[in-house]
Amino acid sequence: MVLIKGALTSISLAILAVTAAAFPVRPTLEKRQDGDTSNGLTDLVTWDTYTLKVNGERLFLFSGEFHYYRLPSPGLWPDIMQKFKALDYNGVSFYFNWGYHSPKKGVYNFDGVRDVQRAIDSAAAADLHVITRAGPYDCGGFPSWLMDMASPARKSNPENDENCREWLTEIDKYLVPNQITKGGPIILNQLDNEYSANTDPGYLEMIKAKFLEDGMDVPTIYNDANMLHNFAHGPGSADIYGWDNYPAGFDCSNPNAWPNNRSTYYMEYHRLTNPEQPAALWEFQGGAFDPWGGPGYEACYEMVNEKYAKVYYKNNYAQGITIQNLYMTYGGTSWGGLSKPSVYTSYDYGAAITEAGLMTTKAYENKLQATFLHTVKPFLTTEHFVPKVDNSDIILVDGRAAVDAPTKFYIAQHWHTASNDTDEFHITIDTTDGQFEIPRSSKLVIDGRDAKLLVADYDFNSQHLVYSTSEIFTHLDMGSHDVIVVYAYEGEEGEFAIKINSDDVTVKVDDSVKYNVEDSILQLTYKHLNCTTPAYISGGSDQDLLILIAGYSAALRWWAPHVGDSYEERVLIQGPYLVRGAKVVESTVEFIGDIDKTTDIQIVVPENITSFSWNGKKLDAKQGEHGIWTAAIEFIEPDVQFTDLTQVTWKYSPASPESMPDFDDSDWVTCDRLSTNSITPHDTWPILYADDYGYHTGNIWFRGTFNGTSEITGFNLTAFSGSASAWMLWLNGEYLGGFDVGNHAFTDLNGTLIDPEGENVISVLLWTTGHEENGVSDDNYKQARGLTKSTLLGISNQTIWSIDWKIQGNLGGEDLADPVRGPYNEGGLYGERNGWHLPGFPDDDWEDASIPETKNRTGVSWYRTTFDVSIPEGYDVPMSLVFDDDTDTRYRALVFINGWQFGRYANDLGPQTRYYLPKGILNTSGKNTLAIAVIPLDKGAQLGKVILEPYGTLQSAMPAVDLVESPTYSDRQKK
């Protein structure tokens, strides 16, 4: 993305400067291209100006972003992939995070939570096409050891080329055999990511050559962050160019303040840039990240909600986009030290699927759109035209005409994107059945922040649609009759007109639907209700037609799961929270899915289907009028049990012995480097940057010693560590305070804390929040984490090396003490180095404590307890840990669940107080270990109330989730 892969987006202001005036729309209806293009290596994935083709089949690629490394429980990957498929996505995009797999140059790990083969297999099992994005850069993702590279990254030079080729050699072992050309799901492979500033064509050529050398033969893609024609042609270019856009931005603090920036220029930009390829949005905004101190992801979801999806995604289609990858569709968790400094642990992103794996209204809206795009095939090959519309100063209607059929599409929205008004309009349509101004006898309105994609002159199944002022979800051939589902907001009026070939037609409707026949056109007129209203037409064509007229809320819960190999082989079911899949066994449809309450359902299937099951249990279904089956799925409240953390005994231990002057730091690393590859200027020597000494993640300790004299009055330090970082300082065991990063002079200490005749010890604990991105290829990722300045005060002829320093980070540095959990799980706290966060650590001799804490604690404190969780089989009850804390004292905290760091809490910054505990990391059928490290910034702090809390309860068919390997304290002691 443009963003926090770690975090932030680098969308250029140049995008916003592009206007419709800069790219005047060129109306045209001629077909732009005949014949397909390939990369010369495979004909399994080809393309033309309109769409991608896979195995010769034209498709709209409706894809979503998923990062396996932000969900370190591989047993949950199939669950998320099933949800993508249930929402009718046909693609998934994977970043592959170099640093997640490589703690040290030459060392790589693809086991356990890093098993990329298992991630790819999960996508393949859900029948999803895979877009691979292995970088080497992925808006973050550089291994920390690359900080010590002298040469610039993302440029072609011997050192960087060698390092990148090392990574690509390792990841290609998994990508190459999983290509479609080898029977796998990978259809496209991206070159680097958003490489749009300070560029070097040689760098991309090196990447292309390496992929080719290793056997990658699927088409390559390139995503331009700034829509500036970068690498659309010439050296460094990929097979299919595309771009990214995040039009809502990332300030969620005022979620209802939409910008008026829906694109009206994509179409012309595509014509001018790469008309021989399909128009592709390799990243389009599916949510937004939230920074430390932000309003929280609830606000981000509100900003980029289902209304946003209606307006902005349908506008993409109006502009001719046929490849759309939504970043993110599932965000997950930036656990441990994955995130960049500006963002916190949760990467929920306000995405369609929440961090806890729950459905949202936006997810259902995406389903409505995706299913339409897969169903109505003429939409895949269209040209733009400008229809006649009244009220056109308020309402924008883009027309798209199919090139191989008479079908026309009308995408209607407000000119003012952020409008909350409801406005009426008419469209003049030219069809093979004549010219009409629609609607003919009702009202057609656009609600505030809505968009409609309307269809006219469309042959479907055995029917001919003249027009519909309701949107289409899908249509199916049920053998004995056809069925179509249409929808709009409750209370809106609609018209549905079909051609009939006989006056001997029978229409069965209830009182809410009116109809008339004129000139062989049957028109239904109705109001959308808060339900689904059937209308049945017989005698008008070769097959009868069942029209299901749904209100928006009802439409959201219509599902069209596949029961065969083609997109046309589907059945319909309305009501459930989630329908994961269906299959036909003789005369039975076997559905699997989730419900959140006792659910009344409707089912529409061919006549030969006479029975149904839900998650293996037979349904008592009744067939009613028009062949619609009804049943109820009973929700049985489960016996979910989990420990009340306010009632358990906690164990407490102080944990900052490094602050004491007599602490033995003899095995710490001596800071003696006189130069650095960091881009951060330093004022004094030695170099005091953690990365230069092999420590890259989490908390870092520095201890400096100096001999006192009567002249020395204090010292001056500058800490540098990025957003939301902090540092705490002690002198000779006395706490001098906690600070935001920056400079601080400690004065007037002689005669008080400084011993003028002996050795003095400064202890600094640096709370770091990750490394920066390198989005504009300026080596920004090499910003330091450490001290840029270290001087004594009061002496005039001070040398550049006035204080002797030692440093300590995570146990083992790049030689990980815990390769299973990997390079981002642990920092340099005393408790982390000694395994206090691990299951099985012997804490019997620790002091008993209760939470919420009643005592102010100075220095680092650790709290440990165990708790039980019991969630019955057949239920999905995602769990969280919640801080309920109203203390005014500032502190930071780390949360470890079964040894895995799943939370960085800052009570003075916020906004995150709730931390997801994914199943697999969390044992939902037994005992768990919880450890919390508390680091006060103020002199004393109290840990507030901590509770376990479910996100919700689903009766679920989610796949079985295996426990993640979680090495214990005794496992570490054996090493």
Side-chain angles (χ1 to χ4, degrees):
M1 157 190 107
V2 252
L3 188 71
I4 156 176
K5 276 47 155 208
L8 287 197
T9 178
S10 56
I11 293 183
S12 169
L13 293 176
I15 296 179
L16 302 180
V18 181
T19 65
F23 293 121
V25 173
R26 182 189 65 165
T28 178
L29 294 179
E30 72 270 14
K31 190 171 184 178
R32 282 172 284 155
Q33 179 181 345
D34 287 307
D36 297 343
T37 303
S38 76
N39 65 355
L41 299 173
T42 178
D43 59 3
L44 295 180
V45 183
T46 58
W47 61 92
D48 62 12
T49 186
Y50 297 108
T51 69
L52 202 65
K53 294 183 181 180
V54 177
N55 289 319
E57 180 181 358
R58 191 180 293 280
L59 56 81
F60 188 108
L61 185 57
F62 198 104
S63 175
E65 194 75 20
F66 169 75
H67 298 161
Y68 62 93
Y69 50 89
R70 285 196 168 101
L71 183 60
S73 178
L76 285 175
W77 298 343
D79 173 61
I80 300 299
M81 293 299 94
Q82 284 185 6
K83 288 167 179 170
F84 272 53
K85 188 64 175 180
L87 298 174
D88 231 347
Y89 285 60
N90 58 358
V92 59
S93 172
F94 286 158
Y95 271 161
F96 294 87
N97 186 303
W98 183 0
Y100 190 68
H101 295 277
S102 182
K104 183 178 182 180
K105 182 171 173 55
V107 177
Y108 288 87
N109 182 354
F110 293 92
D111 298 326
V113 300
R114 294 166 180 78
D115 187 347
V116 298
Q117 183 61 56
R118 190 169 175 182
I120 295 169
D121 288 346
S122 297
D127 194 27
L128 295 170
H129 299 305
V130 173
I131 303 169
T132 52
R133 309 208 292 169
Y137 180 74
D138 69 357
C139 280
F142 276 167
S144 298
W145 55 262
L146 205 67
M147 297 279 289
D148 204 32
M149 181 172 69
S151 304
R154 305 186 82 187
K155 298 288 191 293
S156 183
N157 57 69
E159 187 179 20
N160 185 57
D161 287 358
E162 190 275 329
N163 285 328
C164 290
R165 287 174 60 84
E166 175 185 293
W167 158 244
L168 294 175
T169 294
E170 297 300 325
I171 191 61
D172 284 352
K173 293 174 184 177
Y174 299 91
L175 304 190
V176 170
N178 284 288
Q179 297 176 100
I180 190 172
T181 54
K182 307 292 193 296
I186 297 173
I187 61 168
L188 298 167
N189 183 43
Q190 184 171 290
L191 305 178
D192 204 65
N193 186 65
E194 295 179 336
Y195 191 54
S196 301
N198 298 319
T199 58
D200 173 6
Y203 171 64
L204 291 183
E205 286 296 320
M206 177 274 295
I207 296 171
K208 285 180 7 182
K210 177 57 177 170
F211 278 134
L212 190 61
E213 172 188 320
D214 288 346
M216 293 297 292
D217 49 23
V218 297
T220 56
I221 64 173
Y222 166 84
N223 65 326
D224 193 344
N226 299 317
M227 278 185 69
L228 295 175
H229 312 274
N230 288 301
F231 300 108
H233 305 283
S237 62
D239 295 313
I240 304 176
Y241 168 90
W243 60 93
D244 300 353
N245 203 356
Y246 291 76
F250 299 95
D251 181 2
C252 305
S253 61
N254 191 356
N256 293 314
W258 277 15
N260 187 35
N261 65 342
R262 156 268 290 115
S263 165
T264 56
Y265 54 84
Y266 287 168
M267 179 171 46
E268 191 65 7
Y269 178 81
H270 174 238
R271 184 185 71 82
L272 293 172
T273 306
N274 62 325
E276 72 284 1
Q277 301 161 6
L281 282 166
W282 296 120
E283 289 184 22
F284 193 76
Q285 186 165 14
F289 67 85
D290 191 48
W292 290 100
Y297 279 115
E298 295 82 1
C300 292
Y301 177 83
E302 180 62 25
M303 182 177 76
V304 190
N305 60 11
E306 75 282 356
K307 293 181 179 181
Y308 169 92
K310 280 171 165 280
V311 172
Y312 282 92
Y313 301 171
K314 291 177 187 176
N315 180 74
N316 291 343
Y317 316 148
Q319 290 290 309
I321 299 297
T322 60
I323 296 175
Q324 177 179 261
N325 180 54
L326 298 177
Y327 189 106
M328 301 288 299
T329 290
Y330 173 80
T333 307
S334 292
W335 64 280
L338 270 175
S339 68
K340 66 166 287 178
S342 61
V343 296
Y344 46 90
T345 301
S346 176
Y347 200 66
D348 178 273
Y349 213 75
I353 303 172
T354 71
E355 181 180 14
L358 301 178
M359 294 291 103
T360 64
T361 304
K362 179 167 60 180
Y364 297 142
E365 170 61 31
N366 290 354
K367 169 175 60 72
L368 291 176
Q369 295 183 30
T371 303
F372 169 86
L373 295 167
H374 301 324
T375 298
V376 183
K377 298 297 185 181
F379 193 73
L380 300 181
T381 51
T382 63
E383 297 291 345
H384 186 268
F385 70 96
V386 180
K388 181 180 178 182
V389 184
D390 68 355
N391 213 2
S392 59
D393 57 334
I394 295 175
I395 303 296
L396 167 65
V397 179
D398 285 289
R400 298 209 68 90
V403 297
D404 296 318
T407 308
K408 293 184 175 67
F409 303 90
Y410 303 86
I411 300 94
Q413 57 186 307
H414 280 99
W415 271 106
H416 182 58
T417 308
S419 173
N420 283 306
D421 296 335
T422 298
D423 292 291
E424 185 178 352
F425 65 105
H426 294 79
I427 308 172
T428 299
I429 64 172
D430 290 300
T431 76
T432 55
D433 306 295
Q435 185 180 87
F436 307 94
E437 184 180 72
I438 63 170
R440 298 196 290 174
S441 55
S442 64
K443 286 185 177 182
L444 176 59
V445 300
I446 284 287
D447 202 5
R449 303 190 179 188
D450 190 14
K452 295 179 184 290
L453 201 169
L454 307 180
V455 183
D457 215 354
Y458 173 47
D459 292 327
F460 70 97
N461 305 124
S462 299
Q463 316 295 328
H464 175 73
L465 176 69
V466 180
Y467 69 88
S468 172
T469 64
S470 301
E471 294 189 83
I472 296 172
F473 168 50
T474 191
H475 57 76
L476 299 170
D477 180 354
M478 291 298 176
S480 63
H481 65 283
D482 301 323
V483 60
I484 187 168
V485 182
V486 298
Y487 66 94
Y489 278 129
E490 292 79 2
E492 291 189 6
E493 297 175 4
E495 292 179 8
F496 184 91
I498 61 168
K499 189 78 171 181
I500 57 174
N501 54 25
S502 170
D503 290 334
D504 184 20
V505 63
T506 301
V507 182
K508 295 181 180 179
V509 295
D510 67 16
D511 292 340
S512 67
V513 181
K514 308 301 181 185
Y515 69 92
N516 68 287
V517 177
E518 183 178 346
D519 297 330
S520 298
I521 295 175
L522 170 62
Q523 177 186 316
L524 302 182
T525 306
Y526 46 82
K527 182 173 287 188
H528 288 270
L529 306 177
N530 189 23
C531 61
T532 300
T533 303
Y536 198 87
I537 302 170
S538 57
S541 65
D542 293 342
Q543 288 197 157
D544 294 352
L545 175 62
L546 171 62
I547 307 165
L548 298 170
I549 304 165
Y552 185 65
S553 296
L556 294 174
R557 294 290 185 102
W558 272 105
W559 304 83
H562 302 272
V563 292
D565 294 332
S566 75
Y567 273 101
E568 288 73 27
E569 297 179 77
R570 300 174 181 250
V571 294
L572 289 169
I573 179 172
Q574 197 279 336
Y577 174 89
L578 172 66
V579 178
R580 295 173 181 267
K583 66 178 180 178
V584 175
V585 180
E586 297 179 345
S587 61
T588 300
V589 177
E590 299 176 349
F591 293 103
I592 59 170
D594 301 8
I595 58 172
D596 55 352
K597 60 184 178 181
T598 295
T599 302
D600 293 325
I601 63 171
Q602 300 176 77
I603 304 172
V604 180
V605 291
E607 281 185 342
N608 63 312
I609 302 298
T610 57
S611 65
F612 310 93
S613 67
W614 178 263
N615 294 344
K617 183 178 180 180
K618 183 177 174 62
L619 293 174
D620 182 16
K622 308 294 184 185
Q623 189 173 27
E625 194 174 14
H626 315 310
I628 300 173
W629 294 81
T630 59
I633 307 172
E634 183 184 6
F635 182 88
I636 301 172
E637 198 69 40
D639 181 19
V640 175
Q641 298 182 3
F642 50 88
T643 302
D644 182 349
L645 296 181
T646 66
Q647 300 301 311
V648 300
T649 297
W650 291 75
K651 291 291 189 175
Y652 158 79
S653 177
S656 44
E658 301 94 335
S659 65
M660 304 307 294
D662 59 353
F663 176 78
D664 181 6
D665 60 13
S666 59
D667 60 349
W668 286 24
V669 175
T670 298
C671 298
D672 55 7
R673 289 188 62 160
L674 299 179
S675 63
T676 179
N677 290 317
S678 172
I679 65 169
T680 305
H682 60 94
D683 297 321
T684 55
W685 285 266
I687 301 299
L688 299 176
Y689 298 166
D691 293 290
D692 287 304
Y693 300 98
Y695 299 122
H696 307 297
T697 299
N699 290 280
I700 307 294
W701 275 101
F702 294 89
R703 280 172 55 87
T705 59
F706 65 91
N707 291 320
T709 71
S710 59
E711 295 177 303
I712 299 174
T713 60
F715 50 89
N716 189 308
L717 301 179
T718 301
F720 193 97
S721 190
S723 302
S725 296
W727 57 298
M728 288 64 70
L729 185 137
W730 292 259
L731 174 62
N732 295 330
E734 290 294 324
Y735 188 59
L736 299 188
F739 312 93
D740 295 331
V741 289
N743 178 261
H744 199 91
F746 300 88
T747 59
D748 299 324
L749 299 179
N750 203 332
T752 56
L753 295 181
I754 291 178
D755 181 353
E757 298 180 352
E759 184 178 74
N760 296 269
V761 179
I762 303 169
S763 299
V764 178
L765 176 59
L766 183 64
W767 166 282
T768 72
T769 51
H771 289 101
E772 306 294 340
E773 293 180 344
N774 195 39
V776 295
S777 309
D778 58 357
D779 273 4
N780 193 51
Y781 79 102
K782 291 181 182 177
Q783 285 192 25
R785 299 295 179 254
L787 304 177
T788 63
K789 182 177 184 179
S790 161
T791 60
L792 297 175
L793 301 177
I795 50 177
S796 57
N797 60 345
Q798 180 177 184
T799 67
I800 62 171
W801 198 313
S802 57
I803 304 173
D804 292 320
W805 289 95
K806 287 196 167 187
I807 185 172
Q808 177 66 62
N810 64 294
L811 183 64
E814 293 178 0
D815 296 308
L816 300 180
D818 188 350
V820 171
R821 296 183 178 90
Y824 299 121
N825 193 63
E826 299 174 13
L829 293 180
Y830 184 82
E832 292 176 294
R833 305 196 311 269
N834 286 278
W836 291 6
H837 59 299
L838 298 174
F841 174 78
D843 57 16
D844 293 345
D845 59 348
W846 284 19
E847 178 184 332
D848 287 348
S850 60
I851 302 297
E853 177 68 279
T854 58
K855 299 178 182 178
N856 268 336
R857 307 282 191 179
T858 300
V860 181
S861 298
W862 278 77
Y863 300 86
R864 285 176 49 90
T865 194
T866 59
F867 65 90
D868 294 308
V869 176
S870 176
I871 299 174
E873 185 177 349
Y875 290 87
D876 179 17
V877 186
M879 298 293 295
S880 67
L881 187 78
V882 178
F883 286 79
D884 183 3
D885 186 2
D886 59 0
T887 180
D888 292 330
T889 55
R890 301 175 301 147
Y891 69 88
R892 303 286 192 265
L894 298 178
V895 175
F896 292 90
I897 179 72
N898 295 324
W900 297 81
Q901 187 193 132
F902 258 81
R904 293 186 177 191
Y905 175 62
N907 78 318
D908 59 319
L909 296 179
Q912 187 172 9
T913 58
R914 189 177 199 181
Y915 296 86
Y916 176 45
L917 308 177
K919 188 175 183 178
I921 295 292
L922 181 72
N923 181 0
T924 58
S925 298
K927 190 173 293 296
N928 297 271
T929 298
L930 174 61
I932 301 176
V934 177
I935 303 100
L937 273 65
D938 294 330
K939 187 172 181 62
Q942 297 177 359
L943 177 60
K945 186 178 180 182
V946 179
I947 60 173
L948 294 169
E949 185 175 287
Y951 288 90
T953 302
L954 300 173
Q955 198 166 289
S956 175
M958 72 181 301
V961 178
D962 51 316
L963 282 177
V964 173
E965 180 186 1
S966 298
T968 66
Y969 176 77
S970 62
D971 294 329
R972 176 172 292 193
Q973 296 304 106
K974 294 174 184 176
K975 292 186 177 181

